[in-house]
Amino acid sequence: MKIEIRENDKVVIFGAGLVGSLLSILLSRKGFQVEIHEKRPDLRFKAYANLRSINLALSHRGWRILEEAGLADDLKKIALPMYGRLVHIPGKEAVFQPYGKSEQAIYSISRYKLNCFLLDKAEEEKNIKIYFESKAEKFAFDKSLAYVADIEGLRHRLEAKAFFGSDGAFSALRYEMMREDKFMYEQNYIEHGYKEFTIPPAPNGDWALRKDGLHIWPRKSFMMIALPNQDKTFTCTLFFPFEGKSSFSGIDSENEIKTFFEKEFPDLITLIPDYLSQYQNHPVASLVTIKCAPWNNRNFLLIGDAAHAIVPFYGQGMNAGFEDCRILMEHLQSAESWDGLFSQFYKNRRADADAISDLALENFIEMRDLISDPEFILKKKLESIIVSLGIENWIPQYTMVTFSDLPYSQAQERGHHQAFVLEQLRKLENWNDLEETEWAEKVAVHLEMLWP
Amino acid sequence: MKIEIRENDKVVIFGAGLVGSLLSILLSRKGFQVEIHEKRPDLRFKAYANLRSINLALSHRGWRILEEAGLADDLKKIALPMYGRLVHIPGKEAVFQPYGKSEQAIYSISRYKLNCFLLDKAEEEKNIKIYFESKAEKFAFDKSLAYVADIEGLRHRLEAKAFFGSDGAFSALRYEMMREDKFMYEQNYIEHGYKEFTIPPAPNGDWALRKDGLHIWPRKSFMMIALPNQDKTFTCTLFFPFEGKSSFSGIDSENEIKTFFEKEFPDLITLIPDYLSQYQNHPVASLVTIKCAPWNNRNFLLIGDAAHAIVPFYGQGMNAGFEDCRILMEHLQSAESWDGLFSQFYKNRRADADAISDLALENFIEMRDLISDPEFILKKKLESIIVSLGIENWIPQYTMVTFSDLPYSQAQERGHHQAFVLEQLRKLENWNDLEETEWAEKVAVHLEMLWP
């Protein structure tokens, strides 16, 4: 059964989160009649007790589609650029490691504010209707129907030409697709959970730390990070194992918490005067990776986290979801039917979602472990020489992922190959014995052999 | 919250399949009050259109607990022993490969008859009540409650000291546990599906093939197997890819089916006169592997396929489920609380479930591919010499899995190590150039080096 794409087609989006609200705007501008059904109340008018304050890092892939949609300029006003990592080692000054070229930055933005912004923009479109507290309950793939329950529990039938599940990591649509034959599914929680802290402004009212970078306190088996907010606070996140000696369950009493912070984060004790009560009162959340296949069933499609939830360590979860939207809209231009579009989109995009999922897990190790490792720093230095030599086709993996549109799967493949070359290069000389002036020359000579 | 184990405790089992009905008997004999809730009607009184006729191979692990429960003697009467594989290669006589020592056999038994038998036995116990068409709808882990809907859709509250989900690969209890934080879950379908055929009795009224073995037609990328039934028929199963040239979707027209059978299964054309209409009319089913963790949540436990659904290629799905029951009952003897018991059982058993899951996937390759491979036959011959030499600690993997109680994880580890030794052994001589009389001597000499 091919369901043709026609002007004015009614389409339904489940979930008014970041991806759902952006997608609604893009579809409405193509002339479709869009209905969004969101199970939660409107977050713009309701304060949630457990609303996650988590900050997001918006980078090139996200900005690109926001620019295409004419939303970027307004958003830049509520985002703070971070040009590199600021690495904190006990007893030392924080070290700045740039992310890329001097103008390249990722942007700290509040998840809450971004969602409000996109919902406001969606409501300005004439073809979009948003139903809050409308919960998807049942999907009839073969009849092109879905059923939602309203706040009173009354059930409504939704008939549409296409249905989008942008309903997040715990997608109701995906749970239903899971029961269909031959649906592949995998959910895995990592051993680390996270807890958030807030660094208040300094006594003089300014940010308490440099605001132009992403702060990291790498501690091998765990780490703390901090991203700047517009109100001159920072949101800190402690990524810490659930179990073991140094873990959320191991560090529990007042004494244990104090000893732990004194040893690991002495600078944060000053910056967060009430760190003790924040540790004791803030909840611990878990981190999940979800992979599934296929993302489409007839004219129903999973998109964003619903299709591929990933860990946050490459800062790509939202960016990947926004890029989904861009790629879907590109396929739409030549598509003839909704089910054909969805199948084509899934086939094109799945390998990239798998790639960023794996890269995000790998980057956790890099962030908490390698970033302060002499071996890692040596290789980064070698890589920066390669980049300065202008070697064709060599782009650092972080740059490919964060500051380019290269499909994630290609970034992964090329990144792994470059890592292999760097590993060989490192072995070919005792770099520390050389004068720094000799490095570029040596690198150039060796590279000819290793990187044809 | 520890829920102590007391005499007369009420326990609820979801699912009256093989594992659920056996488990009910074992628990009832320990003095507990058992309620079984099964969502389907009583299969003893109702004919199902799509009842799977699939045969099972009952082996040592299954028999052991059935013997302990005093059920084995009656069951032996409806089971047929199979002492080895009968391998069919086009144009050749079938070759018999024994499974183990001459008295060692696996037993072909009808899934339907076995289930009826266990339900009848369960109903004879005074402490067991079985509710059919009673569908689990909701579980309250923290309140020790579950809710079922009866055939009219009326909802009932079940209060019990312990709850068992033996509700199979698509377990309702597991779907609910899946939504709890930090639950690991994985479902993967293999590329092959299966279709069943029936070989009728021969014109003289007897079995059309030898009934004392499991027949295999290995064809590399696919295979057919046949198990004998008491009514002198055989149940054949074709394991075939879903997609590709040689596949269910590739072989579809009358002509394609005929050409395919003439080339691959010429003997079956004679044995199954209506193979064409059977191929066209019988459904194709898929094969899933499910892994999850943990299997317990407070006093709720997943058991059997609900906890670890595996592919059927080692004939261990039911045997593993029955062994679950034995091991659970052994832990019960020293357990003090239901939740403690469940946690202990899960921790003890998980690695073994993972092991048999992987072994079952590996055995598919062996069955369809290697069994007719000269290399495979050479290694089997070397192994049979090792066994005849009485080398201490060397037990063929198939024997460890099928004819022993050794934990699956140990069978897997030792099996992999033995496979490595066989691989080395094969390389040390050009065995085909040797006289057969020299083999044992050579094997003995090499083994001293390889198998200390």
Side-chain angles (χ1 to χ4, degrees), chain B residues 219-239:
Chain B
R219 297 294 182 267
K220 295 259 176 207
S221 68
F222 56 92
M223 71 172 179
M224 182 83 90
I225 65 169
L227 278 79
N229 297 315
Q230 275 198 308
D231 64 2
K232 309 205 171 168
T233 62
F234 282 85
T235 302
C236 284
T237 311
L238 171 64
F239 294 96

Side-chain angles (χ1 to χ4, degrees), chain A residues 170 174-175 177-190 242-243 284-287, chain B residues 170 174-175 177-190 242-243 284-287:
Chain A
F170 303 100
R174 198 192 56 231
Y175 281 122
M177 281 167 71
M178 226 184 95
R179 294 168 190 243
E180 299 282 304
D181 197 30
K182 290 193 266 172
F183 189 75
M184 302 279 199
Y185 181 76
E186 207 179 314
Q187 72 180 34
N188 280 299
Y189 286 83
I190 64 169
F242 284 106
E243 303 295 334
V284 176
S286 55
L287 294 162
Chain B
F170 302 99
R174 197 192 57 230
Y175 281 122
M177 281 166 70
M178 225 185 96
R179 294 169 190 243
E180 300 282 304
D181 197 28
K182 288 193 269 174
F183 188 76
M184 302 280 198
Y185 182 76
E186 206 179 313
Q187 72 180 34
N188 280 298
Y189 287 83
I190 63 169
F242 284 105
E243 303 295 334
V284 176
S286 55
L287 293 162

Side-chain angles (χ1 to χ4, degrees), chain A residues 228-249:
Chain A
N229 297 315
Q230 276 198 308
D231 63 3
K232 309 208 171 167
T233 63
F234 282 86
T235 302
C236 284
T237 312
L238 172 63
F239 295 96
F240 207 28
F242 284 106
E243 303 295 334
K245 199 166 159 258
S246 282
S247 75
F248 284 120
S249 66

Side-chain angles (χ1 to χ4, degrees), chain B residues 381-400:
Chain B
K381 224 160 150 186
L382 288 170
E383 184 164 48
S384 74
I385 290 166
I386 296 170
V387 171
S388 71
L389 289 172
I391 302 297
E392 218 178 338
N393 286 328
W394 187 294
I395 312 171
Q397 187 184 75
Y398 191 88
T399 300
M400 290 189 280

Side-chain angles (χ1 to χ4, degrees), chain B residues 344-409:
Chain B
Q344 206 181 17
F345 167 74
Y346 157 69
K347 280 179 192 151
N348 170 296
R349 187 68 174 154
R350 183 187 171 187
D352 294 318
D354 284 348
I356 191 59
S357 179
D358 296 342
L359 287 169
L361 286 166
E362 286 170 24
N363 214 45
F364 186 28
I365 299 168
E366 181 162 325
M367 283 179 86
R368 70 177 202 251
D369 193 9
L370 305 176
I371 244 173
S372 60
D373 177 63
E375 182 78 350
F376 175 80
I377 293 165
L378 169 61
K379 282 195 262 179
K380 283 279 154 196
K381 224 160 150 186
L382 288 170
E383 184 164 48
S384 74
I385 290 166
I386 296 170
V387 171
S388 71
L389 289 172
I391 302 297
E392 218 178 338
N393 286 328
W394 187 294
I395 312 171
Q397 187 184 75
Y398 191 88
T399 300
M400 290 189 280
V401 170
T402 310
F403 302 123
S404 92
D405 294 319
L406 198 68
Y408 287 125
S409 54

